[in-house]
Structure formats: C-alpha cells, structure tokens
Amino acid sequence: MIIRPETPDDVAAIGEVVTAAFGQPMEAELVARLRSDGDLTLSLVAEDEGAIAGHVAFSRLWIEDARGRAPGISLAPVAVLPVQQRKGVGRALIGAGHLRLKALGETIVFVLGDPDYYKRFGFSREAAEAFRCAYQGDYLQALQLSPDAPTAGEVIYAPAFAAVG
Ligand SMILES: CC(C)(COP(=O)(O)OP(=O)(O)OC[C@H]1O[C@@H](n2cnc3c(N)ncnc32)[C@H](O)[C@@H]1OP(=O)(O)O)[C@@H](O)C(=O)NCCC(=O)NCCS
C-alpha cells in the first residue's frame, strides 16, 4: 500500500471509491467540485496493487477576523473502499496528509465528523469551539499543526461545500 498525491489518471477511480464508501454520489461530487474550483489543496490516494483503495481530500478554507483572513484546511471527505476498511488505510491517509500539510506550512485543520474516530489524530472539540462556523456543533473539531495557528475567527469553507448537498 502506498500513499501518494492524486494524478489526472486517478480522477475516475477516486470518484468510484468515494461513491462506494459513502453509498451515494454526493461526496464524490464534492471532491470533483473542489478540484474544478482549484480549492483541493491536497488530494491523496492509497494505492494497493495498482488499484485505488482509499482517498482523502484536504481543501482550502479561510478564517476571518477583524484583522483580515488567514488560511486553514478542511479535511473532507475521507473514503476507503468497503472491502478495504479497518485495515489502517484511513489512518495512513490522514496521517500522511497531516505530515504533508505541516511541511507546506499549514497551521490548522478542521473536520466535521465522529469525534470517536478523529480524536486519534489529535482533533478536538476544544480546539474548534471558539470559532464561528456554519457547521459549528458537536461534530466540528480542529487540529492545530503549529503554535501559530489561529484560535478564533469565522471559518469559511470552500464554496463547493454549500454547492453540493
Ligand atoms: C471512516 C473511514 C474512512 C475509516 O477508514 P478505515 O481505513 O476503515 O479506518 P482505519 O482502518 O484507519 O481505522 C479503523 C478504526 O476506526 C474505527 N472507526 C471507523 N469508522 C469509525 C467511526 N465512524 N467512528 C468511530 N470509529 C470508527 C474502527 O472502529 C476501527 O477501529 P478498530 O480497528 O480499533 O475497531 C472508512 O470507514 C470509510 O470510508 N467510511 C465510509 C465513509 C465515511 O464515513 N467517511 C468519514 C466521514 S467524512
């Protein structure tokens, strides 16, 4: 199993894997829209014996306050083919993504999802609580990749999130 950035040749397979993981096309449409809008900051695939077994999308968001706006990242969606789940693929994709994002100088990642799953990566409600966000609530969590990360402000997701779903 290797984790690597997507290439143009992977686009169709990513759509199929994301659709299969969620059992509906909406999340695959979100990935396609993020890509075509230029908001897909990092898109990683897990490749197993030449086939795509999983995918994670990290997209650009903005954190606005009175002084201006700072960049942040949204983790969504992450998807693993049903037959490949519970083998560590999701963990490998997210872990590799965070290392790459840190190396790129990104400071904060937000995720909307089950805290029981995302806490293993260091995401917490506490880190997200002070932000204003359309998705604020029990499922919004954040992970600071750097001590310089913003700690408050309004989180504005990429337009694809409102356009799809
Ligand atoms: C969520 C998902 C990406 C995890 O990928 P994965 O490769 O199966 O995960 P890993 O093997 O790295 O980790 C599996 C562990 O996570 C746990 N886990 C998986 N989904 C979970 C969830 N929603 N809540 C809590 N724990 C969860 C499993 O219990 C497992 O732990 P265990 O092996 O100790 O029992 C995958 O199950 C998936 O594609 N699901 C459908 C799409 C989805 O819901 N995506 C996330 C929302 S954006």
Side-chain angles (χ1 to χ4, degrees):
M1 178 86 59
I2 60 166
I3 307 293
R4 60 169 178 78
E6 73 166 39
T7 70
D9 287 347
D10 298 321
V11 167
I14 290 170
E16 287 164 18
V17 167
V18 177
T19 302
F22 284 92
Q24 59 180 31
M26 192 175 80
E27 289 76 10
E29 287 164 12
L30 171 62
V31 174
R33 177 71 187 262
L34 287 167
R35 188 185 291 114
S36 64
D37 285 352
D39 287 327
L40 199 48
T41 307
L42 180 64
S43 175
L44 296 178
V45 296
E47 183 183 328
D48 183 36
E49 297 182 356
I52 305 297
H55 172 260
V56 63
F58 295 94
S59 60
R60 173 62 64 223
L61 57 70
W62 294 97
I63 300 155
E64 290 186 358
D65 65 16
R67 289 164 301 162
R69 63 177 199 172
I73 291 287
S74 159
L75 187 183
V78 54
V80 175
L81 268 186
V83 294
Q84 296 276 20
Q85 288 178 7
R86 297 197 152 206
K87 297 180 187 173
V89 180
R91 180 187 287 267
L93 281 163
I94 294 170
H98 290 167
L99 285 176
R100 283 173 180 265
L101 291 167
K102 212 169 169 175
L104 289 168
E106 298 292 342
T107 65
I108 190 162
V109 184
F110 288 84
V111 72
L112 200 58
D114 189 338
D116 275 348
Y117 184 64
Y118 291 103
K119 68 184 179 195
R120 69 194 69 197
F121 303 103
F123 283 100
S124 72
R125 267 296 296 143
E126 292 70 31
E129 259 166 2
F131 292 89
R132 278 174 293 129
C133 178
Y135 307 114
Q136 187 55 269
D138 292 346
Y139 293 99
L140 184 74
Q141 298 140 77
L143 167 67
Q144 295 187 342
L145 297 175
S146 147
D148 303 337
T151 52
E154 181 169 10
V155 179
I156 317 250
Y157 273 67
F161 284 90
V164 175

